[in-house]
Amino acid sequence: MFNKKIMAIILPVLFISSTANSATLYNNDGTKIDFTGSLRLWLENSDSRKQYSPGKDNLQLQDQSSRFGFGIDHASNGGSAHGIGYIEFGNDTQSGEGDFQMDNRQGWVGFRVDDLGDLTFGRITSPFDDMPTSDFTYEYGGTLDFGAYNGGFIGRTSGSDGGDNNFIGRVSNSIRVMSADFNGFSVGGSYTLQTDDDGDSWGNGVDHAYTLAAFYHNGGWNLGAGYGYAKVENSGGAYTSSDATVLHDANGQDGEESIWGASVKYTFDDVGVSLSADVGQLFMNNVWSGDVGYDNDRSDYAQREAVFFVDNKARVNLLGLGANWKYGDGNIYGGYYLKDGDENIANWKEQKVVIGADYNFTKNIVVWSEYAYIETEADKWTDITTQTQYDYASVGDDNRIAVGMRIYF
């Protein structure tokens, strides 16, 4: 009976109090509960899918990280102080009934003081994640959210366990501080105590990490800068040539990664045009990296994956350039994105050129289409067990075209 009464109250509020990004389920005595989320599907054609995943058609209909979440805000002290919390789950809506599972995207609680800022802790998103500005795309853009596009990982920043704990993105067991806006300036940071991945097969558990970020906006200008550092524990791990082909033997020492970035964006409001640029560098020492098979298919390692141990300090230069023109209810956008590694990472290099457009049927419904040309190159790597030379799995050119639709609620 109690549940029926609660639903009788909540459901009308859900439909009446909705906005573009959330619906208010409850708002009484200073306590507010919002429900938010989006359904995201896309259809992609890739020239290379059959090459890296035999048996799969080039054309695939896929989920694009659909998610839903609940936000809680309890105001006190005359409404100037708040206890806040947020929990968000994601799922692959196209998985089979027996394979369906919910993924924990975010889950945090904390405090907010108006005109001062936030302090939150749990599974958070680092302020560094908000700093890049060159990615106007829905799928193919971005460079400071580092990682090999074909499901690979280059260092810990891209999440060597599939992105479960990316210390410059979403990460567990962490504290986040973000200031309010002071005359256009704001600063933030995050500190990660330790992830729970120390015993995984990748051997790349983060043992303390932090990020810092600063922002400034004035008129059409938006500027940002950020830095992140992670100590990687037990990076020797259990990843050996019996599990995958490796380029170097692990030395058993703890590793480290660091990344810096800066961004600039200017918007010409009178014509609706935005131009932006991101630049940065990633450094790695004593960590696993790799170039895995398409769509994270990790079978047949020796032929379709190059996994190697970076035992010297490797550097990857990062560059992103983006442009967007807002017209009516839609946008036309494009970008160039470069990730360029040195000889300590086999001169791995990825370049992407992306163009796309979207259209908003309503504030909650958007359709989009993108074309991407992706070029990847690297030196050959050697299987230390057979002394055979191989190319990387994703070396070569790839043309991709996609259309997608999102419904926000």
Side-chain angles (χ1 to χ4, degrees), residues 48-89:
S48 65
R49 179 171 279 113
K50 284 184 177 180
Q51 177 182 352
Y52 303 125
S53 293
K56 284 192 175 183
D57 292 334
N58 285 353
L59 189 65
Q60 293 286 321
L61 178 64
Q62 305 168 83
D63 185 90
Q64 195 189 31
S65 299
S66 297
R67 77 284 304 263
F68 67 90
F70 296 89
I72 302 174
D73 185 327
H74 179 76
S76 60
N77 193 31
S80 63
H82 307 257
I84 56 177
Y86 184 69
I87 187 167
E88 182 180 84
F89 300 99

Side-chain angles (χ1 to χ4, degrees), residues 19-41:
T19 67
N21 297 313
S22 66
T24 299
L25 300 180
Y26 179 83
N27 192 356
N28 190 36
D29 294 333
T31 298
K32 183 180 179 182
I33 302 176
D34 289 334
F35 176 64
T36 184
S38 57
L39 293 175
R40 307 175 177 211
L41 294 180

Side-chain angles (χ1 to χ4, degrees), residues 267-347:
T267 300
F268 301 88
D269 289 326
D270 53 339
V271 292
V273 172
S274 297
L275 303 176
S276 61
D278 297 326
V279 62
Q281 289 181 315
L282 170 70
F283 298 92
M284 298 172 288
N285 191 29
N286 290 333
V287 296
W288 286 110
S289 287
D291 181 25
V292 306
Y294 202 103
D295 289 341
N296 283 319
D297 185 349
R298 291 174 176 168
S299 60
D300 193 8
Y301 282 105
Q303 296 183 27
R304 295 168 56 196
E305 181 178 280
V307 176
F308 54 90
F309 188 75
V310 180
D311 54 0
N312 296 306
K313 193 166 187 177
R315 182 188 71 246
V316 183
N317 298 319
L318 308 172
L319 173 67
L321 303 173
N324 184 80
W325 173 43
K326 181 173 177 53
Y327 69 97
D329 293 322
N331 298 272
I332 297 176
Y333 53 84
Y336 169 77
Y337 308 98
L338 170 68
K339 303 166 186 176
D340 188 8
D342 64 11
E343 65 275 7
N344 290 318
I345 198 170
N347 292 309

Side-chain angles (χ1 to χ4, degrees), residues 245-267:
T245 303
V246 297
L247 184 60
H248 300 294
D249 283 322
N251 58 21
Q253 299 178 6
D254 288 343
E256 61 180 3
E257 291 187 18
S258 61
I259 186 171
W260 69 266
S263 63
V264 57
K265 175 182 175 182
Y266 186 79
T267 300

